[in-house]
Amino acid sequence: MPPIDRRVRRTQTALAQALIALSLEKGYATVSIRDITARAGIGYATFFRHYPDKESLLTAVLELFVGELTGLLETASANNPAASGELIFRYVGEHHELCRVLLGSRSGGDLVRQLYSAGLRPLLAEQPQQPGSVAPPELIAHHSVSATVALIEWWFENGMALSPTHMGEIYASLIIRPLQQLGYNP
Amino acid sequence: MPPIDRRVRRTQTALAQALIALSLEKGYATVSIRDITARAGIGYATFFRHYPDKESLLTAVLELFVGELTGLLETASANNPAASGELIFRYVGEHHELCRVLLGSRSGGDLVRQLYSAGLRPLLAEQPQQPGSVAPPELIAHHSVSATVALIEWWFENGMALSPTHMGEIYASLIIRPLQQLGYNP
Amino acid sequence: MPPIDRRVRRTQTALAQALIALSLEKGYATVSIRDITARAGIGYATFFRHYPDKESLLTAVLELFVGELTGLLETASANNPAASGELIFRYVGEHHELCRVLLGSRSGGDLVRQLYSAGLRPLLAEQPQQPGSVAPPELIAHHSVSATVALIEWWFENGMALSPTHMGEIYASLIIRPLQQLGYNP
Amino acid sequence: MPPIDRRVRRTQTALAQALIALSLEKGYATVSIRDITARAGIGYATFFRHYPDKESLLTAVLELFVGELTGLLETASANNPAASGELIFRYVGEHHELCRVLLGSRSGGDLVRQLYSAGLRPLLAEQPQQPGSVAPPELIAHHSVSATVALIEWWFENGMALSPTHMGEIYASLIIRPLQQLGYNP
DNA sequence: TCCTAAGCGAGACGGTACGTCTTGTCTTCCA
DNA sequence: TGGAAGACAAGACGTACCGTCTCGCTTAGGA
């Protein structure tokens, strides 16, 4: 276990914050590594001592975020989808700036795939395909993650006008309960 | 009505085909305009007489594609969601190369937004919010488009192993019928 | 002697005038052929039916100008260098805009060489090298042309403040009389 | 006094040598910056970190050259124009390749103006206009520089057939002694 | 407490892509 | 049918960014 230099931690958090701030200002795609290091007060070449490219920095941020979210969801009751949904929307609402950046940063499929592999997979019960069911379980998982992300996107685009509680109810109605009716228990 | 120079049409289709082919080979993001023009057998500077950047070329292709798809869907019976779904999956299956490029090219939200505004909006019945309903109609529209796109993504990632008929049935089960149960008729 | 279409003449003079006008405004080097044709009210491709490039148009103008000048000088008395000089400076003073363009258009040696071969050569008496003279006659010729051009350049750069008569006197003192003292009679 | 990075010096001399070599081969005007950097073994973009354009690189070379030449002339006796002339022709003869490039690179007036302001001005004694003299001193200076350059041009065009000593004598006869006779002491 | 190894700022560099510009050819359309 | 309009190939330009490298300076953390 390397005891991690204090300077290293300082550098990495400065880079992450600079990336988020600049992405909110100008859009992720147009932020250059020079911008990031300048904003962070870090030497340009130093960036590459920590991350091979801009994507990697963002991925590191994403993993931190997803880690926190899944930790939160594990504590939630699996029997009350509306409550789980409220939890999700309350959490992403509190971090909506970071979420906006993550949503806008990569092609849709990539984000969902990363979300899935970065921490959501174990949350989804691995159940064998039901004899009479229409869809394979991996598709159910993909659908529930994608549709949830799409709900969050819509919420942001509309100024988060609805309350997290309301969004949680919608989440349950449009995504979870239909799956439960089909015999899945995501 | 400008009669459109034959050379212009030739140039534009050559560019579009080159973009699709190269995106399938190397990924949209890494294709440079020089690559496109070289492949198309077109002068580099000529590209900019037709499109201001790579994005615009792709958008032109997207609009053509969406135009065809919506034309197809208008002929479908609105009362049979599984049949509509089969139609969709049969069509995107036939054009899966182009679809792969479109799906991988831009951040998820952008694609759905463009799909929506490029031709799908009029297809979704504009109905006032039901008194006891949980979600505003625009959210229903956004959800159905996003979730459908996500289904298509999953289908492609799994090698289009399921038949279009089967995917149409899943589409009806996971997306359309749940909405009908809530009182919407998308 | 081809009878020269009136339209052709019109086109060529329009091009020549446009070149001169634009060169005075922006400098010869930065004037493009598109600029010239636009200013002349002539189709772009039409330029190339008359001249292969910008240089050739300028050369045509130069030859016209030098033709007039040499015609003038032939009438002058060879025995009065100051009077010949006054003639030269009066003439270039009257056409100083064109002269400025010609002077600024090409590397120094080129202009002198063209002047020389375009009409000045026959003016300079071809005399065999004097037995005791220091310099070959061609050098004398080159020197007198170059130094005269340099005088004109200085005159222009200083706003043509001195009178043509005064410049003619300087021309005689600095260039012609020294050569006469050495036994040449240019 | 900045200590100048070794790499910087290496890059700049490589660029200068490449420019000279290519100008001799193809003519200054047709040498592109890509040619220069390719020949110098230098990255294309690196050129612009040192010089804003081709002209600037040439100017830097010119200034170095003129600096050396004026250093040389300062050591010469002002009382023997033929000896000074021989010095000049011996020096430009030794560097005739560079000189050819400089002479062919820009419009005549520009070169003389740069020569003058780059180092020759202090060499020319600043003397008040003589009461009875015909020409202002600045004109005398301009004339002597231009006429000398013209002599060099002629020498090069004729294959440097005459010896530097002979050219020095001509220089004294055609340019310097006539000025001395008029009361100037350039 | 000191010393060694590291993290770091600075910045030169090669390389690649961009979007603009100009040249000269060639085609199409119109009078 | 002959000239204007303009599409086109070719390629240079100057800019921006990336990722690598080297050079010193500073500072942390073990001896």
Side-chain angles (χ1 to χ4, degrees), chain D residues 118-141:
Chain D
L120 259 35
R121 185 172 5 218
L123 280 179
L124 300 165
E126 313 243 356
Q127 31 194 328
Q129 179 156 8
Q130 306 288 338
S133 80
V134 290
E138 321 92 53
L139 173 51
I140 300 301

Side-chain angles (χ1 to χ4, degrees), chain D residues 35-158:
Chain D
D35 290 338
I36 299 171
T37 54
R39 172 71 62 99
I42 293 287
Y44 173 67
T46 302
F47 182 93
F48 299 97
R49 288 187 196 118
H50 296 272
Y51 306 100
D53 49 28
K54 206 173 45 159
E55 280 290 305
S56 300
L57 170 54
L58 188 72
T59 299
V61 175
L62 171 63
E63 281 168 4
L64 269 182
F65 176 75
V66 174
E68 283 191 46
L69 178 57
T70 57
L72 201 64
L73 286 179
E74 278 167 1
T75 71
S77 150
N79 294 334
N80 190 344
S84 292
E86 182 179 352
L87 215 60
I88 292 173
F89 281 88
R90 194 170 302 283
Y91 186 73
V92 302
E94 284 164 4
H95 302 83
H96 68 273
E97 298 205 325
L98 172 56
C99 287
R100 272 181 226 271
V101 173
L102 294 174
L103 289 171
S105 63
R106 45 189 74 199
S107 82
D110 288 354
L111 177 62
V112 170
R113 215 170 301 124
Q114 285 215 355
L115 265 180
Y116 190 58
S117 64
L120 259 35
R121 185 172 5 218
L123 280 179
L124 300 165
E126 313 243 356
Q127 31 194 328
Q129 179 156 8
Q130 306 288 338
S133 80
V134 290
E138 321 92 53
L139 173 51
I140 300 301
H142 187 263
H143 169 72
S144 48
V145 174
S146 302
T148 307
V149 168
L151 246 53
I152 297 170
E153 274 178 342
W154 180 88
W155 192 41
F156 284 166
E157 282 168 19
N158 286 69

